[in-house]
Amino acid sequence: MGLAQALKKRKLGSSSASVEKRACQQNGGAGSAALPDDPAEALRRQLANGGFAALMSSHQSKNTRTALRKQRKAEAAAKAAAEAAAREAATEGQRLQQRQAASDSEAEDGLDAAAAAGAGAGEDEEQAAAAYTRLLGSLGSRGGAFADALQQRQREQAGDSDASSSEGEDDAEGQEEEEDMGSHLELGSSEEGSGDDAAAGSSDEEHGGGSSEEEENGAAAGAMDGDANGRAGSPSDSDAEGEEEEEEEQEQQRQQGLAARGVAESAAGASAAEDHYLEHFDRELPEEQAAALLDGSSQRTRYEDCRASGGSRGGEQGPAVAPDVLGQWPDAALQAAEGTSLPQSAPSDLAAYGVKERLLARWREVASPSATAAAAAAAADAAGASGSGQGKGAAGAAEGPAGDFVSAQQRALFALLSCYSDLLLPCRPYPTAADAPDPALDAVLLHVLSHCAKAADRIKKNNDRLRAAGTDGAAPLDAVPKDQGFTRAKVLLLLPQRNLALRCVSRLLALAVRETRTDTIQNKQRFLEEFGDQGEELTERERAAVARKPAGHRALFGGNSDDHFRVGIKLTRGAVKLFADFYDSDILVASPLALATKLAEGEEGAADFLSSIEILVAERADVMLMQNWAHVVTVFEALNRIPKDGHGVDMMRVRDWALSGHGALYRQTVLLSSFASAEMNALLARTCRNAAGKVRLKPVQRGVLSRIIPQARQVFERLPAADAAAGGAPATDADARFEHFKRVLWPRIKESGRAGGHLIYIPSYFDYVRVRNYLRQEMASFLGLCEYTERADAARARSYFFDRRKRVLLYTERAQFYNRHRIRGAQDILFYQLPEHADFYAELLNLLEEGATGETPTVTVVFSKYDALRLERVVGSARSSKMLKQRKTGTFLFC
């Protein structure tokens, strides 16, 4: 039976059903009647019988009862050991004071009692046993060193007897246990894997991840936590005890390092609060709350300005956030939706966020302040600059308040990401160089790697616990941990171009592992060949044309700018495999076009590899907006759906909320862009239902009017038709704009006395086609220049427009974005709609030319209330607010 059909037939039950089932087990015993119908368990049994995985034959079998009994015994032993350790720590001071004085008298009393017992031993065995018992009682009642030794001896004897009684059963039942209890491999070990483990991870086949995981889990079984039942002195546990001691040593060293820097107490106090992994993914949402979150029609995201923790701002209450986080973006306001999970502190040490030791050590080698300063100093030395002063600055930066982070802003960003709430970050300008450092991207990638490490570490610990609980069969339903999704892929990185994917993946690999062997990163050469520069030779004229373009454009499009790619990345201990099968990958790197093409193939279960995405990062969402935003929407709508096939997953360990179809409520979405747009806000509102809430930065725009050099008459006209409609919607804005162009704007251009130089700027390609067809009907003298125009035709159109052989030139924003044409000869510019990139407005106006008679160039801008974000990026936030609220007039003049 398929998973979708099973979900339709049976609905997951609540926690009360599980309580009733456990009560029935305790009252009825092993020979009781069948358990009451629990919908969740019934569904799992149906899925298991339907062919998803051969999980277990019956949850009332002997193997199940034995495993549960051993697990309870282990928990009781661990609890007793913890209580004994607490008692010993409390009385240690008193023992040290009394031990010396009491040892002599206790020794004499012990010898006398032993002599008496020996004398009576020849008379009768019962008297000897009684004397020995009195001796033990005397030693135990007097306390001191003899009593401690006696208690230790008794615990050892009890442990040996328990071990001897269960060893034979464990050996007999161990042959029946399945080797691989989970479908995932461990990344989050506190140490780098040994050579054998790394070799096992490096030899995986692309479509055969199951066997390789069994081998690595088998290798990990030798290093698991000894015997959970408290056995002592077992030779097979020596390696595990050694690893435990080594891990404890490392933890002590890390705490000592924190104390040396004066942040040990703060980090220890914030560790539980700032590591939100278990808090987020183990939360149980009530059915009413889940239904409300999934019902997008009845929910509208309302953002409020955040306030510093412990106070209010101007009497207004808002979501509370740590002061160190609130003030890190001076030109933007941090806003959050109601009920959003926000950090209440921003520790400067990564250990407080639960980052694994291996990732922490690698971060300090690659991306810490000292490493960044060293790289900058090396680059300066290579360029011939003096490095003495820079070295001092680097040392000072390493000792600054940011701790492990390069800056306080990077620390604040990582604190926000660690809460697993959705985040819109529209404050990422384009880099001016391809190799420029990107602290924000580093924080996001570290968050992604830390998430994968925590998930893998949890699965491995649960595997070890199941093995330690018993090897005679599958565990009962209550004992099986729910720690997995339908598929292995947990992270999706959306990038628009191959060159951006190359930089992102290269940085991810640098933060993940250190290349100690040639096979540490598998298929690396293939990745560099497919995503690197294709080596196309440019002519001298083409190189000169590229050099004239802005630095941000050269950095963005330098290299391979292909927009169709998808790569799977599999993370193992000490090794990374690129181009892994999607169902065997931890991280998916793809472009929206490639995923939309894959989803459009029409195969059943084509979107199954996206069913368990827990973190989605859309890097350079503004570039995707210039491609085809419909592909992005298609990908988002395909996320976290219940798969059509099981793909070998252990359905017993799939989380309940995933089986319920609530995976979208636990997915974190991160949108990184240089600006915010209406499309991005709509995407977050309609497709992102994270139960942890939403956070966004709202920049305070200053506008680009001050960058305009030539004197021009700038007229901003508010679109009257869209405002007049009482029930106006964004869908009718395009129609109202086109009608206004035909009725007002085009007659004005025709009646102007200029012989040419009319540039009509149209951001949307659909509006471009509409206006182009209309001008053809009007028999107008015009040419079109869009993103699909061939290079030769584009050059011809620009030449004809400059020579006045054509009066009108239609120009799209995408053509300017990809090519950055220099349009000469423009004397009158009509902005059919404001561009998304405010820099394009100033760039075009700086190319304006005066008329032959000295006429001042004219610029006409048409805007509506739906262009609020575009308008404020051009004229500034303060001016745009007044222009949109003004009702007396709809025309505004800037000179």
Side-chain angles (χ1 to χ4, degrees):
M1 179 184 296
L3 179 55
Q5 298 177 358
L7 287 174
K8 291 180 181 179
K9 289 189 175 183
R10 302 298 296 268
K11 182 180 179 183
L12 291 177
S14 61
S15 58
S16 60
S18 299
V19 174
E20 182 182 357
K21 180 194 65 143
R22 286 194 295 269
C24 182
Q25 284 181 336
Q26 295 176 359
N27 297 332
S32 62
L35 296 176
D37 291 337
D38 187 342
E41 296 173 11
L43 174 60
R44 295 181 190 279
R45 289 196 298 270
Q46 291 178 4
L47 295 176
N49 297 333
F52 275 105
L55 302 175
M56 64 180 183
S57 58
S58 173
H59 60 272
Q60 292 183 333
S61 63
K62 174 181 177 295
N63 296 340
T64 296
R65 296 194 301 272
T66 303
L68 181 59
R69 183 175 64 254
K70 292 182 180 180
Q71 181 179 357
R72 291 175 178 171
K73 187 186 297 183
E75 294 175 353
K79 183 177 180 181
E83 294 175 354
R87 289 194 301 269
E88 291 179 0
T91 59
E92 185 63 24
Q94 298 178 358
R95 290 178 181 177
L96 291 176
Q97 295 177 359
Q98 299 175 359
R99 186 169 298 174
Q100 186 64 29
S103 60
D104 296 335
S105 60
E106 288 172 354
E108 293 178 359
D109 294 342
L111 292 175
D112 294 341
E123 296 179 359
D124 192 272
E125 294 181 358
E126 296 180 356
Q127 295 180 359
Y132 183 69
T133 302
R134 287 195 300 272
L135 172 62
L136 297 182
S138 175
L139 294 178
S141 62
R142 295 179 183 181
F146 281 90
D148 295 342
L150 177 61
Q151 293 177 4
Q152 179 66 23
R153 177 59 179 170
Q154 290 175 347
R155 285 196 299 269
E156 291 177 357
Q157 290 178 352
D160 289 339
S161 63
D162 181 63
S164 61
S165 62
S166 59
E167 252 179 9
E169 184 180 0
D170 289 346
D171 294 339
E173 295 168 349
Q175 304 298 329
E176 301 177 3
E177 181 184 8
E178 295 183 2
E179 282 297 325
D180 194 359
M181 297 297 296
S183 61
H184 300 331
L185 184 61
E186 174 55 27
L187 167 70
S189 176
S190 60
E191 303 174 359
E192 290 190 3
S194 62
D196 296 337
D197 292 339
S202 303
S203 61
D204 292 341
E205 294 298 329
E206 182 169 348
H207 300 281
S211 61
S212 63
E213 290 175 12
E214 291 179 359
E215 294 174 3
E216 291 173 2
N217 289 333
M224 67 184 183
D225 187 16
D227 191 294
N229 294 330
R231 301 180 220 168
S234 176
S236 63
D237 296 339
S238 59
D239 295 339
E241 293 174 358
E243 288 192 3
E244 288 178 358
E245 294 175 358
E246 191 172 354
E247 291 179 359
E248 292 175 359
E249 253 182 337
Q250 291 180 354
E251 185 65 24
Q252 292 176 0
Q253 293 176 1
R254 183 171 62 176
Q255 294 298 334
Q256 291 174 1
L258 293 175
R261 286 176 359 206
V263 295
E265 295 182 359
S266 62
S271 177
E274 299 310 325
D275 186 5
H276 297 271
Y277 174 79
L278 295 178
E279 175 188 348
H280 178 68
F281 290 100
D282 286 352
R283 71 171 66 184
E284 296 183 3
L285 297 176
E287 290 294 335
E288 296 78 6
Q289 182 181 358
L293 289 172
L294 292 173
D295 185 12
S297 60
S298 62
Q299 183 183 16
R300 180 179 179 182
T301 305
R302 181 175 179 270
Y303 292 93
E304 298 179 356
D305 290 342
C306 296
R307 60 176 177 86
S309 302
S312 61
R313 182 175 57 190
E316 297 181 0
Q317 295 292 330
V321 68
D324 294 339
V325 176
L326 186 61
Q328 297 308 321
W329 289 274
D331 295 332
L334 184 65
Q335 298 180 335
E338 183 180 359
T340 299
S341 176
L342 295 171
Q344 301 306 309
S345 63
S348 59
D349 192 277
L350 286 173
Y353 301 94
V355 179
K356 300 301 178 181
E357 185 67 26
R358 187 173 64 84
L359 292 176
L360 179 57
R362 188 59 184 159
W363 172 270
R364 289 172 178 170
E365 293 177 4
V366 176
S368 65
S370 57
T372 305
D381 292 341
S386 59
S388 58
Q390 296 177 1
K392 295 179 181 179
E399 298 174 359
D404 286 330
F405 299 97
V406 175
S407 63
Q409 188 177 103
Q410 186 188 53
R411 180 186 64 182
L413 176 58
F414 191 80
L416 289 173
L417 293 171
S418 299
C419 293
Y420 284 95
S421 55
D422 293 340
L423 176 62
L424 173 60
L425 187 68
C427 303
R428 282 175 48 77
Y430 294 118
T432 56
D435 56 349
D438 195 344
L441 183 60
D442 288 348
V444 173
L445 295 180
L446 178 62
H447 174 61
V448 166
L449 290 173
S450 179
H451 173 77
C452 294
K454 291 175 184 177
D457 181 69
R458 188 183 188 188
I459 292 172
K460 177 181 178 297
K461 289 181 179 178
N462 289 334
N463 290 343
D464 294 345
R465 192 182 70 215
L466 291 174
R467 291 192 186 96
T471 60
D472 54 344
L477 293 177
D478 289 343
V480 175
K482 310 299 188 296
D483 54 5
Q484 300 179 15
F486 292 111
T487 56
R488 176 167 179 162
K490 294 176 282 292
V491 179
L492 174 60
L493 297 180
L494 277 181
L495 297 114
Q497 300 175 165
R498 285 181 181 262
N499 55 350
L500 299 179
L502 175 63
R503 301 169 199 171
C504 182
V505 174
S506 299
R507 193 61 174 174
L508 180 73
L509 297 177
L511 295 175
V513 293
R514 183 194 298 112
E515 291 192 65
T516 57
R517 305 183 313 275
T518 56
D519 60 345
T520 300
I521 302 177
Q522 302 179 48
N523 300 324
K524 180 180 179 180
Q525 188 60 32
R526 174 188 170 187
F527 177 74
L528 295 177
E529 292 175 357
E530 294 187 8
F531 286 77
D533 194 353
Q534 300 300 319
E536 297 181 359
E537 293 293 335
L538 299 178
T539 63
E540 183 177 354
R541 184 176 180 180
E542 291 175 340
R543 285 195 297 268
V546 172
R548 288 194 299 266
K549 298 182 185 299
H553 182 272
R554 296 196 302 268
L556 182 62
F557 293 100
N560 191 343
S561 59
D562 179 58
D563 60 351
H564 191 284
F565 60 89
R566 48 180 181 259
V567 179
I569 302 177
K570 179 180 180 180
L571 303 173
T572 61
R573 291 201 305 175
V576 178
K577 182 179 181 181
L578 301 175
F579 297 98
D581 184 74
F582 271 14
Y583 293 100
D584 198 28
S585 302
D586 296 285
I587 301 175
L588 307 179
V589 181
S591 64
L593 175 60
L595 291 182
T597 303
K598 177 68 175 177
L599 297 175
E601 292 178 356
E603 299 179 1
E604 185 177 1
D608 286 357
F609 62 93
L610 300 175
S611 60
S612 300
I613 297 298
E614 297 170 353
I615 296 180
L616 187 150
V617 179
E619 164 68 345
R620 295 296 172 194
D622 49 343
V623 180
M624 301 177 194
L625 194 64
M626 293 292 102
Q627 293 176 340
N628 192 340
W629 191 252
H631 295 330
V632 180
V633 176
T634 300
V635 173
F636 271 70
E637 291 177 348
L639 294 171
N640 301 113
R641 293 181 177 179
I642 298 178
K644 302 297 183 181
D645 192 6
H647 303 283
V649 67
D650 186 351
M651 293 301 302
M652 294 294 298
R653 298 182 64 171
V654 176
R655 298 184 178 96
D656 290 338
W657 49 260
L659 291 172
S660 303
H662 296 165
L665 305 182
Y666 296 83
R667 185 190 75 237
Q668 181 185 29
T669 303
V670 181
L671 294 182
L672 305 177
S673 173
S674 62
F675 58 82
S677 69
E679 291 82 359
M680 298 177 192
N681 292 335
L683 186 71
L684 281 176
R686 296 173 183 174
T687 63
C688 300
R689 304 297 181 193
N690 192 353
K694 298 182 178 68
V695 183
R696 73 176 182 182
L697 285 175
K698 186 178 181 181
V700 179
Q701 304 291 347
R702 300 181 180 178
V704 297
L705 298 180
S706 59
R707 305 183 199 173
I708 300 173
I709 299 175
Q711 186 177 1
R713 186 171 178 268
Q714 305 173 51
V715 180
F716 286 75
E717 298 180 0
R718 190 171 58 215
L719 192 62
D723 291 339
T732 64
D733 181 69
D735 298 333
R737 196 180 300 268
F738 182 63
E739 292 298 328
H740 182 70
F741 173 80
K742 293 191 301 181
R743 188 179 65 256
V744 177
L745 300 178
W746 177 243
R748 187 187 303 170
I749 294 176
K750 289 194 302 183
E751 294 173 0
S752 65
R754 292 180 179 174
H758 297 282
L759 177 64
I760 302 179
Y761 190 88
I762 307 176
S764 172
Y765 180 75
F766 299 104
D767 291 336
Y768 166 82
V769 173
R770 197 180 221 180
V771 173
R772 182 194 62 187
N773 295 339
Y774 174 74
L775 293 183
R776 285 178 179 174
Q777 294 176 4
E778 293 291 319
M779 304 297 291
S781 174
F782 79 99
L783 286 173
L785 181 57
C786 66
E787 58 269 29
Y788 302 109
T789 305
E790 297 292 339
R791 181 178 300 181
D793 296 336
R796 185 182 303 108
R798 292 163 54 198
S799 176
Y800 282 16
F801 181 72
F802 177 72
D803 295 337
R804 299 293 188 270
R805 286 190 277 181
K806 294 293 183 180
R807 291 188 59 193
V808 179
L809 178 65
L810 302 183
Y811 190 35
T812 63
E813 183 178 4
R814 291 182 182 178
Q816 187 179 11
F817 176 77
Y818 286 107
N819 301 298
R820 291 298 181 93
H821 296 299
R822 293 179 60 87
I823 307 298
R824 299 183 300 166
Q827 298 178 358
D828 185 7
I829 301 180
L830 168 62
F831 283 91
Y832 189 86
Q833 187 179 15
L834 281 170
E836 290 282 5
H837 297 80
D839 294 339
F840 293 176
Y841 181 85
E843 186 176 317
L844 285 175
L845 265 64
N846 286 332
L847 296 175
L848 282 172
E849 300 177 359
E850 293 184 357
T853 59
E855 299 176 356
T856 302
T858 303
V859 177
T860 304
V861 178
V862 180
F863 70 94
S864 69
K865 60 182 179 181
Y866 304 113
D867 299 328
L869 295 176
R870 304 180 187 223
L871 182 63
E872 70 174 5
R873 287 194 291 269
V874 173
V875 302
S877 299
R879 287 194 185 101
S880 66
S881 178
K882 296 178 181 178
M883 294 168 66
L884 292 172
K885 293 179 180 178
Q886 182 62 254
R887 295 301 177 186
K888 294 182 179 180
T889 179
T891 304
F892 306 89
L893 177 64
F894 297 93
C895 295

